[in-house]
């Protein structure tokens, strides 16, 4: 690990908004972490958590959790949240493959997945965050009828996600293959991460799915 990354990791572990013993929070996010009974919304593969930060600022009535496997990226989001005194956003450094170890059944109200790695090679498809093995885990931790929002620039990942959701027996409520071509879009999908800005600058379309799994 490079020196700067090591320093960021050490600092990350000292932040109060980063969970230190996250398995203990399973089933207790509301009572032990947020200390309220408001909705729990997670952003998966949040990176620097730009999306989760935007949601947490805009919707102080919800509880947010940014989830990513990379400490150096979470450091940036967690530091911003501390500097801005954002108290409704916490961070979890885990592999999403293990998400059911950290959330109890039906503990989560909504999920966002923004610009996940597309894993373009078909032999790596099982790593895509909308593959059936991930959908099965999301179904367990989500409340009945809870929405999952996916934003991506990647046409292959978009089509793949539609197929996986249908095969899994999920319901797609919105599928938009160019959100900015619409006259009006829901505010919750208008926030732009650095990745999204980069894709837009390259003239790529931003695609969106809202789906449920139960
Ligand atoms: C392309 S970045 C997008 C970050 C962020 N959503 C954004 O739009 O700025 C993808 C992120 O997914 C995270 N990631 C990929 N696979 C993961 C996994 N299985 N578990 C946890 N994080 C994962 C990576 O660490 C990376 O931060």
């Amino acid at each position: 690990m490079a020196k700067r990354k090591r320093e960021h990791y050490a600092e990350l572990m000292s932040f109060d908004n980063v969970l230190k013993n996250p398995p203990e929070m399973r089933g207790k996010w509301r009572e032990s972490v947020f200390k309220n009974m408001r909705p729990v919304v997670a952003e998966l593969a949040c990176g620097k958590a730009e999306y989760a930060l935007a949601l947490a600022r805009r919707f102080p009535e919800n509880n947010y959790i940014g989830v990513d496997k990379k400490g150096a990226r979470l450091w940036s989001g967690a530091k911003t949240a501390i500097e801005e005194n954002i108290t409704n956003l916490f961070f979890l450094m885990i592999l999403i493959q293990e998400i059911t170890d950290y959330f109890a059944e039906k503990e989560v109200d909504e999920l966002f997945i923004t610009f996940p790695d597309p894993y373009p090679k078909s032999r790596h498809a099982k790593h895509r965050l909308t593959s059936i093995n991930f959908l099965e885990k999301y179904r367990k931790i989500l409340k009945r009828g809870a929405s999952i929002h996916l934003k991506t620039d990647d046409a292959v990942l978009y089509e793949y996600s539609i197929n996986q959701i249908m095969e899994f027996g999920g319901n797609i409520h919105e599928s938009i293959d160019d959100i900015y071509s619409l006259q009006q879009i829901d505010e919750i999908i208008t926030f732009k991460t650095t990745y999204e800005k980069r894709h837009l600058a390259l003239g790529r379309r931003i695609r969106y799915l809202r789906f449920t799994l139960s």
Side-chain angles (χ1 to χ4, degrees):
M1 207 190 279
K3 185 168 175 254
R4 194 154 159 266
K5 271 195 181 173
R6 273 203 307 275
E7 285 168 2
H8 282 178
Y9 182 79
E11 198 179 357
L12 180 78
M13 289 298 133
S14 74
F15 290 159
D16 287 341
N17 57 2
V18 177
L19 273 297
K20 304 299 176 314
N21 202 351
E24 285 181 6
M25 296 309 146
R26 191 174 188 276
K28 297 183 197 149
W29 282 87
R30 283 181 183 78
E31 60 178 284
S32 298
V33 179
F34 295 107
K35 304 192 190 328
N36 65 50
M37 295 309 286
R38 294 174 185 164
V40 169
V41 183
E43 187 195 357
L44 303 182
C46 67
K48 295 179 180 173
E50 291 165 288
Y51 217 87
L53 282 162
L55 289 167
R57 287 182 196 110
R58 175 66 185 83
F59 303 105
E61 67 274 24
N62 290 337
N63 299 315
Y64 290 94
I65 303 162
V67 180
D68 203 283
K69 62 182 176 183
K70 291 193 178 156
R73 292 191 180 181
L74 286 178
W75 171 86
S76 165
K79 195 170 172 64
T80 303
I82 290 168
E83 284 167 358
E84 293 186 25
N85 197 25
I86 295 173
T87 54
N88 61 332
L89 172 58
F90 281 79
F91 296 88
L92 187 54
M93 191 175 71
I94 59 160
L95 272 177
I96 295 160
Q97 281 82 340
E98 293 163 7
I99 193 114
T100 52
D101 295 343
Y102 300 92
F103 294 95
E105 283 205 12
K106 304 189 180 14
E107 192 168 20
V108 180
D109 293 88
E110 200 172 11
L111 287 181
F112 284 80
I113 310 173
T114 59
F115 303 93
D117 298 310
Y119 291 102
K121 292 185 181 147
S122 48
R123 70 173 189 275
H124 295 150
K126 66 172 192 282
H127 298 296
R128 295 176 189 156
L129 294 182
T130 48
S131 64
I132 282 182
N133 49 330
F134 281 102
L135 299 184
E136 182 58 51
K137 293 173 198 287
Y138 306 156
R139 191 183 56 77
K140 285 188 179 142
I141 63 168
L142 281 170
K143 290 222 169 80
R144 211 174 156 69
S147 286
I148 304 179
H149 308 266
L150 171 74
K151 278 177 90 176
T152 181
D153 62 302
D154 193 277
V156 174
L157 180 69
Y158 177 73
E159 292 302 330
Y160 170 88
S161 302
I162 292 174
N163 290 332
Q164 292 284 287
I165 295 160
M166 299 311 289
E167 198 180 321
F168 186 74
N171 290 308
I172 297 178
H173 301 275
E174 289 177 72
S175 53
I176 308 172
D177 81 347
D178 184 359
I179 59 173
Y180 298 112
S181 70
L182 301 181
Q183 296 275 329
Q184 262 197 325
I185 49 173
D186 190 328
E187 186 188 8
I188 61 166
I189 58 169
T190 58
F191 305 115
K192 296 185 184 68
T193 67
T194 304
Y195 278 94
E196 176 165 349
K197 288 179 193 155
R198 215 178 281 160
H199 297 314
L200 287 170
L202 292 169
R204 294 188 184 142
R205 286 196 240 159
I206 306 301
R207 296 158 166 96
Y208 169 68
L209 290 178
R210 182 173 73 81
F211 59 99
T212 53
L213 299 173
S214 53

